[in-house]
Amino acid sequence: MTTEKKDDRLYGYAGKILRINLTDSTTEIIDSRKYLPEWIGGRALAHKIFWEEVGPGVGAFDPENKLIFADGPAGGTAIPTGGRAVMCGVAANNLPEQYASSSIGGWVGTVMKYAGYDALIIEGKAPRHTYLLIDDDKVSFLNADAIWGMLISDAQEAIFLAHGRDTFSMVIGPAGEHMVRDATITTSNDHTLSKAGFGAVFGSKNLKGIAFHGTGDITPYDIDKVLELRLKIGDYQHIPNPVTHQTRMKSVAYDVPAPNGWDYGKLACSPGCNSRCQRLMMNMTDAFTGEKVSQIEKCTSPAAFTLKNDFYMPVGTWVTSPMNGRSVGAQRSWAKPYDKNDPDYEIVSQMWGGDTVNYWNADFDRGAMLNQLCKEYGIDKWDFIIWNMTWISMCKQEGLLTDLDFGMEPDPESPEFIRHFIKIITYRTGPEVTLIDGSKRPIGDVFAEHMARAIRMLGKEKYGDSIYHGRYSNILKKPLDIPVSLEGGWGQCSHWHGRGFSGSQKWFWCANMMLDMVNTRDAMASGHTHVSTDEYKKILAEGPCYSQTLANAVLRTENTAILTDSVPCCEWQSNEPFYPEENAEQLYAATGEKYTPEELLKKADRARLLFRAILMRNYGRCRDQEVEEIYPFLTFPDPGGDYATWEEWNDWVDLYYKTVGWDLATGWPFRSTWEAAGLKEIADEMEKLGKLPPEGGTPGYVRKENPFNGHIRKVPQEYHF
Amino acid sequence: MAKHIEKAPLEYSMCTGCVSCEMVCSMVHEGYVSPQTKRLFFKAGPVKTMLHEIYTCQQCDDHPCYEACPKKDEAMCIDENGIVYVNEKNCIGCGKCAKACKFTPSRIHVVKSKDKEERKAKKCDLCRTRPEGPACVQWCPFMCLAVSDRLPWEERQETDQS
């Protein structure tokens, strides 16, 4: 890093971190310089705070769990995509519970900075239903009885009404209040902290929401650079954004007629962004009142309308050529068409995947209702649609639901059943069912524990590992096996795992499942793997599980995802092989700290290793644990009939561990790895804990034999509910 | 009314809620970003519709803000193009201009200066000294804002009709 700043002011940052103790309604101000700019902000900052403050043995719902809500230096500076923020803490929806992160758009991160804070540390448990009002220097612990029980939109409007329309909030719905493990925290423009179930953690802390009002200022270091980036980042278009009337819901993977039509608008997710990735579906029918409302829909919501075929995408979604520029599908709707004469055309235009999965047929109104029920109760759409509902469909078709009393006939195509199912989960009600240990619980209460736990309570062999026979490969022209539960690992729903929901090529799902393996939750939300067309060719030549090029790309994806969540910016627009300077330029414009892309990746590397340290110290993370967690789903074929053998996957793990400097036997970094990242103190700590492998590797290491004995259902699953 | 900033109708371009207009407004005028120092006002729409509003100074012909200013022509001024603007150096922060504004909410902010020692009125001046014109118009990514003497949505209508 070269330091040539005009002064030592903390440009781009608000300057304070606010600790909020809900138990005794007290606050403490921490000078941001304790951590910033050293730990950038967002996810990297949260890792550092969590490492220092939360040790082993703390569960998601323990008052000792701390939620760190952090923005980064780009927030509030008008740097495009810089308005996002991150929450970290012990998550509720992974299995077992572990530290995780989740990112969010909306106005809250930026307004928190206007109020004077780079981050919040939320700890303890409020003695009564509470919401926080953070109004510049004044923090109020307000009685939330009047809004407790309200749906998301009603609670948001109530807060607007009480505190003005320039007070922006994030709240939980009834699902969070009942500690449903995949409950969301949702902003007033319908952006959510979904993927870690932090809504349930809010509920456990008696915290309905946080409202922010800020009148302070954020000073970017270089305004000219900010304005330059506004033209450079995110497909700057400067074109009108008209509302258009639609009669279908259509993409490459689905085509759903909308009998009454709908109006299509596009919104930005966060302050200062110059893109419009959010589909605003207008003039939709409210699932509760029947009035006309708008719904925000992103990548997974279309699955609510139909899931007859899986969600395949053009290879250009994750393979980037200079021709196709921003690679993510959501951007493509208005990007220039591919040039058919370009030498990369054949690669990026490939369509791959596309199994017929027969989960449910098209029904526009039913899909709209499903999406809105998820939003208003505050349940993660991804998990409910892609996991709960596909499970209902597959189990029903396989005749597995006859012993379970849902209170009405389970049917994924019945609006009445969907409404009933999500409601009994939200309120933990419904008829009692007998669990595999002989105890009884209301069926909604069981599914409120999230799918991975629910399936284990009911009996994993039958309800998790039974084979669904309704999947048909359009590549091989024959049926292919898939389990009735689309579980990817760590209790998370499959996401770009190449089978069951999102067909993709082997190299791509190998990369994504490696990212998930070393994480604690679905890593795809801020870490889709991106490679260039040149890298793509090398990966295919080297073979997915033996490709150093792919291992390097996975590491780059991990580190750029950390930067994305730390600067912060948007995954849909970052991690671009052809614009590696993007994060460094954003950081410079905001803070004046000048890094090369390589120097910045080293900073991300340090945060990534600190995350590894948290997992090792707090949860005993090691090779056997993570390999055996992720491997089972890989035994099922992708749309081309390919899968990973035990040997192949372990060879791939070996290659990745070598690439990142970890011991093959344990998955623990060597002292040299910690110290190269500037983490000598962590190496010392690991040595004390007996988790520092000898340089060169554990002597006499012999790879473990396949414990799955040929099939996943032979493995006992021992988790405490 | 003299020329002023207008927001586009939905059929032409929908406000995405990015508030770039507010942020850039504050940044080009003050050198930092703050909701206090913006000269136009984003109002989040109802949670269930998300149709947002942008409120702008209309540069009224009868300019009640100018008339109400006790330091007329020193603090609240009118330039040779009829643009009503605040010369902050002479503004005493009395707030009479904001109260005189005929719109709700008032299109003039009266806020504490950054050093918190004095109050100043903040009002849209159409970025009258910027060669590129109003920053909010320039930096709205989706052309939701325009200066009233040249509204692309009206130009398009005329083209359509012809």
Side-chain angles (χ1 to χ4, degrees), chain A residues 117-349:
Chain A
Y117 310 106
D118 293 303
L120 312 178
I121 304 170
I122 305 161
E123 56 192 37
K125 177 180 179 178
R128 57 174 188 179
H129 298 158
T130 297
Y131 74 100
L132 295 169
L133 175 63
I134 298 175
D135 187 357
D136 290 335
D137 294 339
K138 190 177 175 196
V139 181
S140 305
F141 297 75
L142 301 174
N143 187 331
D145 282 343
I147 55 172
W148 199 266
M150 278 188 181
L151 300 173
I152 293 283
S153 294
D154 294 339
Q156 295 283 8
E157 278 298 346
I159 288 172
F160 270 143
L161 192 64
H163 304 293
R165 297 201 84 83
D166 53 356
T167 297
F168 296 98
S169 61
M170 53 183 184
V171 303
I172 58 172
E177 295 168 6
H178 290 86
M179 294 156 64
V180 174
R181 283 184 180 269
D182 53 348
T184 63
I185 301 169
T186 306
T187 70
S188 52
N189 58 346
D190 197 11
H191 289 276
T192 57
L193 290 157
S194 292
K195 278 303 212 167
F198 288 135
V201 180
F202 260 36
S204 76
K205 292 183 178 299
N206 271 332
L207 185 60
K208 177 72 176 178
I210 306 176
F212 298 94
H213 181 252
T215 61
D217 52 84
I218 301 298
T219 306
Y221 180 77
D222 187 334
I223 288 174
D224 289 340
K225 185 70 179 175
V226 170
L227 295 176
E228 180 194 317
L229 292 176
R230 290 192 61 79
L231 297 176
K232 197 171 174 184
I233 293 174
D235 291 332
Y236 178 74
Q237 297 157 76
H238 207 67
I239 54 171
N241 178 39
V243 174
T244 57
H245 188 69
Q246 306 286 321
T247 56
R248 313 188 78 80
M249 178 83 175
K250 195 172 177 183
S251 177
V252 289
Y254 51 84
D255 182 6
V256 181
N260 300 314
W262 57 286
D263 293 328
Y264 182 10
K266 303 186 191 86
L267 299 184
C269 88
S270 57
C273 192
N274 57 5
S275 285
R276 44 175 184 169
C277 310
Q278 316 302 305
R279 178 192 286 119
L280 186 70
M281 302 185 75
M282 304 159 70
N283 287 323
M284 310 290 274
T285 303
D286 189 300
F288 295 91
T289 65
E291 66 186 308
K292 292 297 177 189
V293 296
S294 302
Q295 299 178 351
I296 290 272
E297 308 305 347
K298 285 180 67 181
C299 52
T300 193
S301 306
F305 297 93
T306 181
L307 209 41
K308 179 87 175 163
N309 301 306
D310 79 1
F311 269 37
Y312 61 98
M313 301 279 260
V315 169
T317 305
W318 45 80
V319 178
T320 310
S321 142
M323 168 184 66
N324 65 340
R326 300 288 160 187
S327 58
V328 171
Q331 301 289 332
R332 186 172 294 106
S333 58
W334 58 82
K336 61 181 180 184
Y338 295 160
D339 175 2
K340 291 188 178 178
N341 297 316
D342 190 285
D344 289 330
Y345 176 78
E346 278 194 22
I347 294 175
V348 298
S349 62

Side-chain angles (χ1 to χ4, degrees), chain A residues 157 216-218 230 241 272 294, chain B residues 13-14 18 20 34 47-49:
Chain A
E157 278 298 346
D217 52 84
I218 301 298
R230 290 192 61 79
N241 178 39
S294 302
Chain B
S13 192
M14 177 184 200
C18 70
S20 294
S34 170
V47 177
K48 286 195 171 182
T49 62

Side-chain angles (χ1 to χ4, degrees), chain A residues 439-489:
Chain A
S439 64
K440 291 179 185 294
R441 283 174 79 159
I443 194 162
D445 187 36
V446 173
F447 283 94
E449 290 298 309
H450 200 225
M451 284 298 286
R453 287 176 176 80
I455 284 166
R456 285 162 178 78
M457 288 180 194
L458 295 170
K460 186 168 183 292
E461 188 166 337
K462 177 177 178 182
Y463 294 106
D465 301 338
S466 292
I467 299 299
Y468 170 59
H469 296 92
R471 176 189 178 203
Y472 182 84
S473 165
N474 292 310
I475 294 174
L476 301 174
K477 308 293 180 196
K478 68 173 192 180
L480 289 175
D481 284 354
I482 195 78
V484 293
S485 172
L486 300 181
E487 181 172 335

Side-chain angles (χ1 to χ4, degrees), chain A residues 403-687:
Chain A
D403 293 337
L404 296 180
D405 181 3
F406 286 87
M408 66 184 295
E409 177 65 23
D411 179 358
E413 296 195 330
S414 158
E416 292 74 26
F417 173 73
I418 293 170
R419 191 181 283 272
H420 170 77
F421 188 39
I422 196 167
K423 189 171 180 181
I424 60 174
I425 292 173
T426 297
Y427 295 99
R428 292 181 176 267
T429 59
E432 285 198 333
V433 290
T434 304
L435 307 184
I436 198 162
D437 65 2
S439 64
K440 291 179 185 294
R441 283 174 79 159
I443 194 162
D445 187 36
V446 173
F447 283 94
E449 290 298 309
H450 200 225
M451 284 298 286
R453 287 176 176 80
I455 284 166
R456 285 162 178 78
M457 288 180 194
L458 295 170
K460 186 168 183 292
E461 188 166 337
K462 177 177 178 182
Y463 294 106
D465 301 338
S466 292
I467 299 299
Y468 170 59
H469 296 92
R471 176 189 178 203
Y472 182 84
S473 165
N474 292 310
I475 294 174
L476 301 174
K477 308 293 180 196
K478 68 173 192 180
L480 289 175
D481 284 354
I482 195 78
V484 293
S485 172
L486 300 181
E487 181 172 335
W490 304 123
Q492 301 286 294
C493 181
S494 158
H495 188 171
W496 287 121
H497 287 178
R499 42 187 60 78
F501 165 67
S502 42
S504 61
Q505 294 169 309
K506 183 172 183 177
W507 71 269
F508 187 60
W509 55 254
C510 275
N512 292 338
M513 293 188 86
M514 180 62 73
L515 289 165
D516 279 345
M517 189 187 87
V518 297
N519 215 301
T520 54
R521 50 148 284 191
D522 172 6
M524 296 303 102
S526 56
H528 287 271
T529 306
H530 293 246
V531 299
S532 69
T533 43
D534 284 344
E535 288 172 325
Y536 173 80
K537 290 173 207 164
K538 281 185 197 164
I539 290 162
L540 293 191
E542 293 164 354
C545 294
Y546 302 93
S547 170
Q548 186 63 56
T549 309
L550 186 59
N552 295 342
V554 170
L555 176 58
R556 182 182 66 213
T557 299
E558 267 203 280
N559 283 341
T560 50
I562 289 168
L563 291 177
T564 295
D565 281 348
S566 302
V567 170
C569 56
C570 166
E571 185 268 337
W572 283 9
Q573 309 240 11
S574 291
N575 188 10
E576 194 61 59
F578 294 98
Y579 186 12
E581 310 84 9
E582 181 175 6
N583 290 150
E585 290 184 1
Q586 289 171 314
L587 205 57
Y588 170 73
T591 67
E593 305 289 336
K594 214 165 193 175
Y595 298 97
T596 64
E598 294 73 26
E599 288 169 333
L600 205 49
L601 282 173
K602 278 189 82 74
K603 267 197 177 286
D605 219 40
R606 186 176 55 160
R608 180 181 58 81
L609 281 165
L610 190 56
F611 176 66
R612 188 74 178 175
I614 291 169
L615 302 191
M616 288 167 58
R617 182 192 67 183
N618 288 19
Y619 312 109
R621 180 63 69 97
C622 62
R623 175 179 181 133
D624 288 350
Q625 189 191 42
E626 60 188 17
V627 169
E628 290 169 33
E629 184 63 37
I630 209 75
Y631 181 70
F633 202 57
L634 294 167
T635 59
F636 294 95
D638 71 11
D642 213 343
Y643 57 94
T645 65
W646 178 255
E647 291 305 319
E648 258 185 322
W649 183 256
N650 277 279
D651 288 346
W652 173 224
V653 173
D654 285 354
L655 178 58
Y656 190 67
Y657 280 6
K658 283 178 191 165
T659 303
V660 295
W662 298 353
D663 176 41
L664 298 188
T666 58
W668 298 337
F670 300 116
R671 174 172 284 281
S672 56
T673 306
W674 295 116
E675 291 189 355
L679 293 171
K680 179 182 178 302
E681 73 281 9
I682 304 291
D684 295 342
E685 178 75 16
M686 290 301 152
E687 190 163 24

